[in-house]
C-alpha cells in the first residue's frame, strides 16, 4: 500500500533551507521512479521533483535550481534538499513511488511552511 514515510518538514523563513527525508521499502524503490510531490491548501497535488531508478532527475520549473532530489540506495532513502525557499513553497510534501502514486496511495506527508 504505502511504502514511504516522510520527515524533515518545519517552519522556515523565506530564503532558508530544509532537507526532507523519505524512508522507503526498497522493493518499491527499485521498481519505480520516486518523486516528491506537494499540495498546498485548496490546490491540487503537484510533482516537484523525481528521480528514476537509474538516478536521472527532473524538476518542476518552479523549483529548478533550488531543490535537489537524491537517493541513497544503501539506506533506502530519498531526500529533497530545498534552498532559497519561498512562501509559495508552503505545502505538505509527500514522497511516493510513481507506481504507488498511480494507485492514489499516499502517506501523511510532512508540512513545510515558509514565512515572510
Amino acid at each position: 500500500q504505502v511504502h514511504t514515510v516522510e520527515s524533515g518538514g518545519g517552519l522556515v523563513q523565506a530564503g532558508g533551507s530544509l532537507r526532507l527525508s523519505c524512508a522507503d521499502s526498497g522493493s518499491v524503490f527499485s521498481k519505480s521512479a520516486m518523486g516528491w510531490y506537494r499540495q498546498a491548501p485548496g490546490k491540487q497535488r503537484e510533482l516537484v521533483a523525481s528521480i528514476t531508478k537509474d538516478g536521472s532527475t527532473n524538476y518542476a520549473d518552479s523549483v529548478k535550481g533550488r531543490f535537489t532530489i537524491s537517493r541513497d540506495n544503501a539506506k533506502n532513502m530519498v531526500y529533497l534538499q530545498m534552498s532559497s525557499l519561498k512562501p509559495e513553497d508552503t505545502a505538505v510534501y509527500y514522497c511516493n513511488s510513481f507506481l504507488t502514486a498511480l494507485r492514489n496511495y499516499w502517506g501523511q506527508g510532512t508540512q513545510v511552511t515558509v514565512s515572510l
Side-chain angles (χ1 to χ4, degrees), residues 94-106:
Y94 302 88
C95 175
N96 214 349
S97 71
F98 281 12
L99 288 173
T100 306
L102 285 170
R103 293 166 171 79
N104 283 313
Y105 292 131
W106 302 91

Side-chain angles (χ1 to χ4, degrees), residues 79-112:
Y79 306 98
L80 186 67
Q81 178 66 50
M82 307 183 294
S83 62
S84 301
L85 283 162
K86 305 174 181 179
E88 53 262 43
D89 295 319
T90 295
V92 178
Y93 283 71
Y94 302 88
C95 175
N96 214 349
S97 71
F98 281 12
L99 288 173
T100 306
L102 285 170
R103 293 166 171 79
N104 283 313
Y105 292 131
W106 302 91
Q108 295 300 304
T110 185
Q111 176 71 49
V112 172

